[in-house]
């Protein structure tokens, strides 16, 4: 991990920068799939880094009643619980039955959730692979609220 200084709102603070590989590995370390009546819990994990340099993680919860949530939602809930709202970088991972690790792009619901938590999250870096990422803005191009019809 690297440390860099950032000037924001008139003050300088230190920000911990995790490489994409470090963030992918942090999320992968949380994968502990658990099967209950055909539903998988914890088979997708997400880790994010906030503007304050803190790391938050979560796993998916799949339920038959539709009340479950994605790993990104769990990581963001942990972030909000800690009083933070701005995401610098986020990743979600899944491992198949053969042990191969995949980076998963956020679903549409997650993309919108990330955006609504803080408007600056449109600039959050979404990791899409070991050497691939994009700002949320590019994954959610029509992010503005609709205008009233004239």
């Amino acid at each position: 991990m690297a440390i860099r200084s950032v000037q924001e709102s008139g003050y300088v603070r230190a920000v911990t920068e995790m490489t994409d590989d470090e963030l992918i590995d942090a999320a992968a370390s949380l994968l502990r799939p658990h099967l209950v009546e055909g539903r998988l819990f914890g088979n997708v994990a997400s880790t994010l880094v906030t503007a304050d340099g803190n790391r938050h993680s979560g796993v998916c919860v799949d339920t038959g009643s539709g009340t479950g949530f994605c790993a990104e939602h769990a990581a963001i809930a942990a972030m909000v619980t800690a009083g933070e709202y701005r995401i610098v970088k986020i990743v979600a991972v899944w491992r198949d039955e053969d042990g191969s690790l995949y980076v998963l792009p956020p679903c549409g619901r997650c993309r919108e959730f990330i955006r609504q938590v803080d408007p600056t999250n449109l600039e959050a870096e979404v990791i899409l692979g070991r050497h691939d990422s994009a700002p949320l803005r590019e994954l959610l191009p029509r992010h503005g609220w609709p205008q009233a019809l004239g």
Side-chain angles (χ1 to χ4, degrees):
M1 267 188 279
I3 305 290
R4 67 180 168 95
S5 294
V6 174
Q7 183 168 353
E8 183 178 296
S9 303
Y11 67 93
V12 176
R13 62 185 172 79
V15 175
T16 303
E17 285 188 345
M18 292 187 77
T19 67
D20 292 358
D21 283 344
E22 288 172 325
L23 205 60
I24 290 168
D25 293 343
S29 73
L30 301 171
L31 293 171
R32 292 179 202 78
H34 179 69
L35 186 64
V36 176
E37 298 177 355
R39 297 307 221 178
L40 272 170
F41 295 81
N43 67 318
V44 176
S46 177
T47 299
L48 62 83
V49 176
T50 67
D52 290 336
N54 297 312
R55 187 173 77 185
H56 300 281
S57 299
V59 297
C60 70
V61 174
D62 184 17
T63 64
S65 61
T67 57
F69 47 86
C70 297
E72 294 93 334
H73 279 78
I76 292 166
M79 174 187 72
V80 170
T81 299
E84 296 183 87
Y85 303 91
R86 294 178 48 212
I87 300 168
V88 172
K89 200 180 277 197
I90 188 168
V91 69
V93 299
W94 167 74
R95 193 177 302 281
D96 69 14
E97 51 280 343
D98 295 326
S100 295
L101 186 65
Y102 297 83
V103 171
L104 303 177
C107 69
R109 181 175 177 242
C110 287
R111 293 174 194 197
E112 181 61 18
F113 188 62
I114 293 166
R115 183 193 73 81
Q116 287 193 26
V117 169
D118 190 291
T120 62
N121 288 340
L122 282 169
E123 303 309 321
E125 180 182 355
V126 178
I127 298 170
L128 301 168
R130 289 233 184 250
H131 306 288
D132 188 17
S133 67
L136 179 65
R137 174 181 304 286
E138 291 180 14
L139 302 179
L140 190 65
R142 293 186 176 239
H143 54 270
W145 291 109
Q147 300 295 314
L149 298 175

